[in-house]
Amino acid sequence: MKNKMKKKILQTFVVFALGAVSFAEEAAVENNTVTLTVDQAVEFALKNSDSIKSADIDLAMKERAGKYGWNVLLPDLTASGTLNRISDDTLKKNLGAAAAQVKTTESMHWTGLFGVSADWTFSFAYIEKIKIAKKGYEVGQISFEKAQREIKVNVEKLFYGLLLQQESLKIKKDTLENSRQRYLQAEKNYNNGAAPEIKLLQTQVAYENAKPDVSKAENDFKASMDTFAFLIGYPVGTDIVLSGSINPEYIDADYEQLMNKYAGYNLDLQNLDKNIELTEMGVKAANLGTFVPALKIKYSFMPMLTDFLDADKGGYPSGGDWKDNGSFSLTLAWKLTNLLPFSENRQQTADTKDTLNKLKIQRNQLVENQKINVRKAVNTLNDAREQIDVMARNISLAQRSYEMTARSYRNGTTELLDLRDAEDQLNQAKLGLANQKFNYISALLDLETELNIDFKKEAAKAETSTNETETETVKE
């Protein structure tokens, strides 16, 4: 009884929870507000991006081509049926001298021809074509993965860029609020006779001058958010709330170690290697088609029925005169024109070879360019990390300086200009720190793109491996 009661309570709770979730989703839709983390934004973009949908179609096409690439070996099967009526003059001509003694009937004018034929051609070049189709699907998979990574990186950079823009807006709003508070305090002091009118005017001008800057920053941020919503697939006008902060996860970036371990993972490099293999297969297929003859097998079964409607002979289908015009043939075909070095076939093969050489040159360039990009990203990471440490200390100093200057200003021993200078220095320190954090995240994403790795996953793998090793050591 107790178990049944517990089960019923659990079912009721599940139904209530699902209803609550549904209600929350409906409320979110009604309010047109969506809260997103960076991972949720990436996930949504990967499901709704038009470029991903297009890449998915391309991959499906290549998969279908690779799956059924063997269809080049299928024979050409043809079935046909023909009814033919000859004229009186043609019939008399066919009968010749016997035409005068033979009484012609309508059935003698008709002939029925039915046929089934199979024509099969085999060339060793077909084997390479099948391999090319399968290799094309592998290229498609790499292209699809590359499109996914590009979407991921672009969305993450946009997300953190918007967080940076949001932080800048917050600082501007805080500055505006500080200006407003100083203006209100100056107005109060002026009304109480504790401050001159010039001080009131100065604080009022500073406050009014800060308003347009904040308003412009708000409009720019809203426009950026609308663009972000559109790019990841949300309807225009969706109110997106960013959930996250610009806090990078640091790595130990060593150029030599990274290149030795991950250089070959680059998707552009993998894609180029596959295309080189495809081009080499194309050259091989062209040579096989040129220098090796093709085998053609043809078989046809073509029964013909004359006196088609002759009732005396039984009529169709058992009556009449049946004849078989079928045949079977084996042929070795060799197009000798293709052997000529100036023929269209050999010229196309020469062009394919030149394309292959260009791809190899492009590969060398890509390898060197990867080295440059990885070194640049590593240097940016190390420099940004040093700057982050320095600026974190600068913020503490700037904060103390601002607080001391604000205290002196309230006591009347410091001018408004000095206070604003101290506030600007604090704001610059905050923005500088946020900028360097964004630079670190951006460089890390660039490095992950160049090496086609995810440092979070790599760190998790390393931790799992370490734990397994420690467990095995304890067992021993």
Side-chain angles (χ1 to χ4, degrees):
M1 180 67 70
K2 288 183 178 180
N3 291 335
K4 289 184 178 179
M5 183 64 70
K6 288 181 179 179
K7 185 176 181 181
K8 190 172 183 180
I9 293 173
L10 180 61
Q11 289 175 345
T12 305
F13 176 78
V14 170
V15 171
F16 176 81
L18 291 175
V21 171
S22 176
F23 176 80
E25 291 177 347
E26 291 177 1
V29 173
E30 290 176 0
N31 296 330
N32 206 27
T33 301
V34 178
T35 301
L36 290 178
T37 64
V38 64
D39 293 333
Q40 289 171 336
V42 170
E43 182 181 359
F44 191 87
L46 290 175
K47 290 180 180 178
N48 297 278
S49 170
D50 288 337
S51 59
I52 285 295
K53 292 177 182 178
S54 178
D56 194 31
I57 294 173
D58 291 338
L59 181 61
M61 292 168 60
K62 290 185 180 296
E63 181 182 13
R64 189 166 59 249
K67 185 177 180 180
Y68 299 109
W70 53 268
N71 59 17
V72 295
L73 299 175
L74 289 175
D76 292 329
L77 297 175
T78 305
S80 62
T82 304
L83 285 176
N84 183 47
R85 186 186 186 283
I86 60 176
S87 64
D88 292 337
D89 293 338
T90 303
L91 179 59
K92 291 178 180 179
K93 185 177 179 181
N94 291 341
L95 293 174
Q101 288 83 23
V102 177
K103 181 181 178 181
T104 61
T105 62
E106 178 63 19
S107 66
M108 297 174 68
H109 289 270
W110 288 89
T111 301
L113 182 65
F114 309 92
V116 177
S117 64
D119 191 347
W120 185 65
T121 303
F122 174 76
S123 171
F124 285 102
Y126 291 169
I127 305 299
E128 290 302 313
K129 289 183 178 180
I130 295 173
K131 293 180 181 178
I132 288 173
K134 291 183 177 179
K135 187 67 66 175
Y137 175 53
E138 294 178 10
V139 173
Q141 287 177 309
I142 295 175
S143 298
F144 184 74
E145 185 180 352
K146 183 181 175 183
Q148 285 184 312
R149 177 166 283 278
E150 288 177 352
I151 290 292
K152 177 180 180 295
V153 169
N154 291 336
V155 170
E156 288 186 359
K157 282 188 176 182
L158 279 172
F159 188 92
Y160 288 112
L162 287 169
L163 286 179
L164 178 62
Q165 193 174 354
Q166 186 174 260
E167 179 67 19
S168 175
L169 176 60
K170 180 180 179 300
I171 291 174
K172 290 180 184 296
K173 286 183 175 181
D174 290 343
T175 302
L176 178 63
E177 178 60 22
N178 291 338
S179 297
R180 189 181 75 88
Q181 293 295 336
R182 285 194 291 269
Y183 166 62
L184 294 176
Q185 184 63 42
E187 185 180 36
K188 182 178 179 181
N189 293 340
Y190 172 73
N191 292 333
N192 294 332
E197 184 179 5
I198 185 63
K199 194 168 185 178
L200 172 63
L201 293 175
Q202 286 176 342
T203 56
Q204 185 177 6
V205 169
Y207 172 53
E208 296 297 335
N209 284 342
K211 285 182 178 179
D213 192 24
V214 172
S215 178
K216 182 178 182 305
E218 284 182 331
N219 292 332
D220 290 344
F221 181 69
K222 289 179 181 178
S224 299
M225 289 299 296
D226 286 340
T227 302
F228 178 70
F230 169 74
L231 289 176
I232 65 176
Y234 276 102
V236 176
T238 302
D239 184 16
I240 295 179
V241 178
L242 304 179
S243 177
S245 59
I246 312 176
N247 289 316
E249 295 186 12
Y250 301 111
I251 65 168
D252 294 326
D254 182 88
Y255 170 77
E256 296 296 338
Q257 291 181 359
L258 291 172
M259 288 300 295
N260 291 335
K261 191 173 183 180
Y262 302 111
Y265 289 19
N266 182 277
L267 287 175
D268 289 326
L269 194 59
Q270 292 183 41
N271 187 65
L272 197 54
D273 286 339
K274 293 293 183 183
N275 277 294
I276 289 175
E277 291 181 39
L278 274 175
T279 309
E280 290 174 340
M281 288 179 178
V283 173
K284 187 176 180 180
N287 289 334
L288 287 172
T290 300
F291 299 109
V292 180
L295 172 65
K296 293 186 176 182
I297 301 175
K298 189 171 184 179
Y299 170 76
S300 63
F301 174 67
M302 304 184 70
M304 183 176 68
L305 175 64
T306 58
D307 290 341
F308 190 73
L309 302 176
D310 192 345
D312 296 335
K313 295 183 179 181
Y316 175 81
S318 59
D321 296 328
W322 284 97
K323 297 179 181 179
D324 184 8
N325 291 335
S327 64
F328 174 77
S329 65
L330 289 173
T331 305
L332 277 178
W334 196 359
K335 194 172 182 179
L336 299 179
T337 305
N338 287 342
L339 297 173
L340 300 175
F342 46 81
S343 66
E344 181 181 1
N345 176 272
R346 298 316 296 162
Q347 289 301 305
Q348 289 178 350
T349 305
D351 290 342
T352 305
K353 290 181 178 178
D354 288 338
T355 300
L356 178 61
N357 291 331
K358 287 175 63 178
L359 288 174
K360 291 180 178 179
I361 293 173
Q362 186 179 345
R363 188 187 189 283
N364 293 334
Q365 292 175 336
L366 182 60
V367 169
E368 295 303 316
N369 190 55
Q370 183 196 33
K371 293 178 182 178
I372 294 173
N373 291 336
V374 171
R375 188 181 295 276
K376 178 182 177 182
V378 168
N379 291 337
T380 302
L381 287 174
N382 294 331
D383 181 64
R385 188 166 184 176
E386 291 178 2
Q387 293 297 324
I388 289 170
D389 294 337
V390 171
M391 289 184 175
R393 293 192 295 269
N394 286 345
I395 287 180
S396 299
L397 296 175
Q399 184 69 41
R400 287 181 58 193
S401 174
Y402 172 72
E403 291 173 355
M404 293 173 65
T405 306
R407 192 180 304 115
S408 298
Y409 176 77
R410 288 193 296 269
N411 295 332
T413 58
T414 300
E415 296 295 329
L416 176 62
L417 183 60
D418 295 328
L419 178 60
R420 292 183 61 188
D421 287 341
E423 188 176 39
D424 288 341
Q425 290 175 359
L426 177 60
N427 290 341
Q428 289 176 7
K430 290 179 178 179
L431 279 178
L433 179 61
N435 267 302
Q436 288 302 325
K437 287 183 176 180
F438 174 78
N439 290 340
Y440 191 94
I441 292 173
S442 181
L444 187 62
L445 290 172
D446 290 338
L447 185 60
E448 288 182 336
T449 300
E450 284 295 330
L451 301 176
N452 188 31
I453 58 172
D454 188 326
F455 284 107
K456 291 181 181 178
K457 293 181 179 179
E458 291 297 315
K461 287 180 183 178
E463 184 177 354
T464 302
S465 177
T466 302
N467 292 335
E468 290 177 353
T469 304
E470 291 177 352
T471 302
E472 291 177 359
T473 303
V474 170
K475 288 181 180 179
E476 292 177 356

